[in-house]
Amino acid sequence: MTGSTKYIFVTGGVTSSLGKGIVSASLAKLLQARGFTVTIQKLDPYINVDPGTLNPYEHGECYVTEDGAETDLDLGHYERFLDTPTSQANNVTTGRIYQNVINKERRGEFLGKTVQVIPHITDEIKRNIQALGRKGIYDFVITEVGGTVGDIESLPYIEAIRQLKWEKGKDALSIHLTLLPFLSTTGELKTKPTQHSVKELLSLGVQPDILVCRTEHPMVKGMKEKIALFCNVEPRAVIESADAETIYDVPLLMQREQLDVVVLEKLGIEHYPDADLSQWTAFLRRYKEPKGEVHIGLVGKYVELKDAYKSIKEALDHAGAENETKVNIRWVHSEKLTPKNIAKQLGGLSGILVAPGFGHRGIEGKIDAIRYARENRVPFLGICLGMQCAVIEFARNVLGHSTANSTEMEANTTYPVIAMMEEQKSIENKGGTMRLGAYPCKLIEGSKAQIAYKKNSISERHRHRYEFNNAYLEEFKTAGMLPVGTNPQTKLVEVVELKDHPWFVGVQYHPEYKSTVAKPHPLFVGFVKAAIGQAVLAASHKPLVTS
Ligand code: GLN
């Protein structure tokens, strides 16, 4: 597209958790399918500089970008939908905005002026929104504002949107996402909260151009017209967003409602190519019409909160679709696993994945799960802490170092098989100081990982402070745990595998962040494939039932 970058703002009203991220990603997908270049940005109104220091109970998974930014999990959706990388610039929090402004103030850049929310904070917000547009590569920048309109903390963002809409004229529009609650007593969807939410937005000077209404039941005839009348929008700009069977259906639902067409027309774009969603629909077909199913256990300490393992769950789904198999996840709480109940908890699984994590809570359960996978020859994938636990388990139960541990769990352990990296030792600040982002890794020809990736040099994203302790390398190798992937520069171990096991792979990095609908992650695809193989094997070994 020639001409200036178009800005689309997405706000939410009535309640939080309406799925602004999915709607934004779906709109982006539809625009991308018409050949436009799009990026999506999330503005988070909390004071933390980034979500890296947040407990998953507070905020779900922390998603890591190629450039090592610790970001909101919505960025994971953006990448999974668009298959284009995001970066630090795609996630900005109030903490970061204030930090930038205060740093400028300390450098004397405000020339003696009083520094205020308006214009200084709003200018910094506007600078961050436009920074993506100024790169000159995007036709559209979609900016999603976290939280709900009316919250005190989102006021400066709405004000920044008001100013940008005024400055950009035809090159900007705003979409407001609301909820139509259903009253079961009268059997009706109600529009009043939407009207009030739009009023709230209007009182802040922002007229939404498009309303996306989340609803559990179909909107009845005349409802769009009614909302349009009360909210100063066209009836066709009132978009119904019904509950979907899967998030991957949402782009198609939005296409049916012509969200992209209304957006393009409102932004003055009259000529645009047809959308090509053939790859997307092919994925959906494989995903929804599997030829078989497989059961995989996901062992972690946050399993009651599925958002904590968002990217892993999605990566398993992508890999399932690629294998035309439905992946059923059994969520296994690592704190509740004991050697006594393990066979019951993990029995019948064709694959076991041990999740990343921090701190000692649940660690012994993870180690027990890995022992089970190793001894029973169940396909295993260990990610980050999951890989570190595999190393500890092997040291304890195969090498016979019963007190082996990571120095994260036990600073003075006699066998520190996992230890803090040298460069981490002097670091005191907790935020943004781990080993973060993409690092290269070389794989050994013929290893399970190399076979899965179909290449020898890979690059994967990291988020950790501890590492395999190379002082023990020879001992592990001799006993059958092989370092099949290493960082070519630092020689840090990135991937371990067991010599005598059908499929046992532990990775220090996080493959889940790079799995997308267009490119399911090869390691997850390989893991699910191995699990399918195991299921077939297990079925063929079933004792014959005689009557
Ligand atoms: N806690 C471990 C470390 O810091 C693992 C981190 C993770 O699983 N992301 O090294």
Side-chain angles (χ1 to χ4, degrees):
M1 186 175 81
T2 49
S4 44
T5 300
K6 311 283 185 190
Y7 291 88
I8 300 170
F9 306 110
V10 182
T11 55
V14 185
T15 72
S16 56
S17 308
L18 287 180
K20 279 191 301 255
I22 301 294
V23 168
S24 302
S26 299
L27 171 60
K29 185 76 223 170
L30 293 178
L31 294 170
Q32 187 193 51
R34 292 186 187 274
F36 296 109
T37 51
V38 195
T39 191
I40 322 178
Q41 175 185 48
K42 174 91 188 272
L43 303 180
D44 276 310
Y46 52 73
I47 314 285
N48 304 62
V49 173
D50 59 48
T53 53
L54 284 172
N55 186 315
Y57 286 122
E58 295 279 319
H59 205 254
E61 165 188 283
C62 173
Y63 185 78
V64 180
T65 57
E66 285 289 295
D67 62 344
E70 296 177 280
T71 70
D72 186 77
L73 57 78
D74 271 340
L75 270 77
H77 292 309
Y78 307 161
E79 289 204 12
R80 287 187 283 273
F81 275 52
L82 298 182
D83 193 37
T84 52
T86 54
S87 70
Q88 180 64 73
N90 294 75
N91 189 200
V92 183
T93 69
T94 293
R96 189 172 296 275
I97 298 282
Y98 271 80
Q99 193 178 49
N100 291 347
V101 171
I102 291 168
N103 287 344
K104 271 189 203 160
E105 187 273 336
R106 293 288 84 183
R107 288 197 299 268
E109 287 181 27
F110 294 111
L111 304 171
K113 285 254 184 276
T114 307
V115 181
Q116 296 182 294
V117 173
I118 302 170
H120 301 103
I121 295 297
T122 44
D123 278 354
E124 181 62 16
I125 295 173
K126 284 159 65 182
R127 190 184 68 75
N128 274 280
I129 295 174
Q130 294 178 97
L132 283 169
R134 290 209 182 97
K135 286 187 170 179
I137 44 180
Y138 300 116
D139 298 323
F140 294 91
V141 174
I142 300 180
T143 299
E144 177 196 344
V145 180
T148 309
V149 166
D151 295 347
I152 290 175
E153 54 184 21
S154 54
L155 285 176
Y157 293 98
I158 308 296
E159 169 60 14
I161 291 175
R162 185 193 68 76
Q163 293 179 20
L164 274 178
K165 275 196 84 179
W166 174 250
E167 287 164 26
K168 303 244 168 244
K170 260 264 182 228
D171 284 341
L173 69 72
S174 89
I175 300 178
H176 189 53
L177 198 68
T178 72
L179 174 73
L180 301 176
F182 179 75
L183 284 193
S184 53
T185 41
T186 54
E188 280 179 302
L189 287 174
K190 305 304 284 185
T191 64
K192 196 71 82 189
T194 296
Q195 295 174 38
H196 280 292
S197 182
V198 171
K199 246 189 207 156
E200 183 80 41
L201 204 48
L202 284 169
S203 75
L204 301 172
V206 175
Q207 165 66 59
D209 301 283
I210 297 171
L211 295 174
V212 176
C213 302
R214 295 281 293 109
T215 170
E216 284 175 42
H217 296 271
M219 288 168 80
V220 294
K221 212 171 165 298
M223 193 167 258
K224 287 191 174 181
E225 285 71 16
K226 182 178 171 188
I227 295 171
L229 178 71
F230 280 108
C231 302
N232 325 317
V233 295
E234 284 176 73
R236 63 194 293 263
V238 179
I239 306 289
E240 173 175 340
S241 172
D243 283 356
E245 193 186 318
T246 145
I247 54 170
Y248 299 113
D249 273 335
V250 180
L252 303 180
L253 296 178
M254 291 299 97
Q255 188 182 42
R256 224 170 289 151
E257 286 285 300
Q258 297 209 302
L259 174 62
D260 55 334
V261 173
V262 177
V263 163
L264 288 165
E265 287 177 10
K266 291 210 174 288
L267 288 169
I269 303 164
E270 281 154 18
H271 305 289
Y272 41 82
D274 286 342
D276 177 7
L277 282 167
S278 49
Q279 202 188 26
W280 191 269
T281 46
F283 161 81
L284 265 180
R285 204 173 316 116
R286 284 194 299 275
Y287 182 54
K288 288 186 166 184
E289 295 163 24
K291 300 206 169 106
E293 61 177 342
V294 76
H295 295 267
I296 286 179
L298 198 162
V299 183
K301 65 176 168 182
Y302 299 110
V303 289
E304 65 278 33
L305 183 90
K306 311 281 183 289
D307 268 3
Y309 303 115
K310 194 93 205 155
S311 294
I312 293 178
K313 150 133 196 341
E314 300 306 320
L316 284 171
D317 278 350
H318 302 160
E322 189 68 10
N323 282 294
E324 297 187 82
T325 299
K326 180 172 169 37
V327 174
N328 298 304
I329 300 179
R330 187 187 300 170
W331 302 86
V332 181
H333 202 306
S334 53
E335 275 185 296
K336 297 189 180 140
L337 275 181
T338 61
K340 253 186 151 167
N341 68 14
I342 198 120
K344 190 155 177 257
Q345 293 246 23
L346 304 182
L349 291 172
S350 305
I352 294 173
L353 189 155
V354 176
F358 293 84
H360 67 271
R361 195 162 66 81
I363 201 89
E364 295 303 325
K366 286 186 172 174
I367 292 171
D368 289 341
I370 294 164
R371 179 176 198 165
Y372 179 92
R374 180 174 59 77
E375 291 181 345
N376 292 286
R377 302 174 67 75
V378 182
F380 166 79
L381 178 60
I383 300 179
C384 208
L385 182 63
M387 171 268 198
Q388 297 177 353
C389 287
V391 170
I392 297 168
E393 191 279 321
F394 194 83
R396 288 186 188 174
N397 302 322
V398 179
L399 302 180
H401 304 322
S402 59
T403 54
N405 216 333
S406 160
T407 54
E408 179 182 10
M409 317 306 160
E410 201 186 332
N412 300 316
T413 168
T414 33
Y415 292 100
V417 289
I418 303 290
M420 189 179 265
M421 285 177 275
E422 213 40 56
E423 69 264 30
Q424 286 285 330
K425 289 187 178 156
S426 57
I427 296 173
E428 284 179 3
N429 274 357
K430 286 271 180 269
T433 56
M434 280 185 255
R435 183 185 186 211
L436 289 164
Y439 284 89
C441 168
K442 262 199 124 46
L443 298 171
I444 289 181
E445 187 77 32
S447 60
K448 303 278 182 337
Q450 191 271 337
I451 293 168
Y453 281 97
K454 297 189 185 78
K455 54 185 177 182
N456 298 25
S457 289
I458 56 164
S459 166
E460 291 282 3
R461 301 180 197 174
H462 290 250
R463 182 174 186 247
H464 59 114
R465 286 183 214 284
Y466 298 84
E467 289 287 350
F468 182 94
N469 184 347
N470 275 338
Y472 293 91
L473 201 58
E474 285 310 315
E475 206 182 337
F476 274 84
K477 264 172 131 172
T478 315
M481 181 171 263
L482 310 175
V484 301
T486 38
N487 179 307
Q489 281 107 40
T490 59
K491 305 293 171 219
L492 291 173
V493 173
E494 299 280 10
V495 190
V496 293
E497 288 183 9
L498 285 184
K499 211 163 89 190
D500 301 313
H501 191 285
W503 210 93
F504 187 106
V505 181
V507 290
Q508 183 57 81
Y509 50 80
H510 291 264
E512 70 274 23
Y513 295 141
K514 280 178 76 167
S515 188
T516 69
V517 165
K519 295 195 195 85
H521 195 287
L523 205 55
F524 279 87
V525 175
F527 173 53
V528 171
K529 202 168 161 192
I532 296 166
Q534 155 86 14
V536 172
L537 202 69
S540 68
H541 285 162
K542 271 215 180 104
L544 286 176
V545 186
T546 45
S547 53

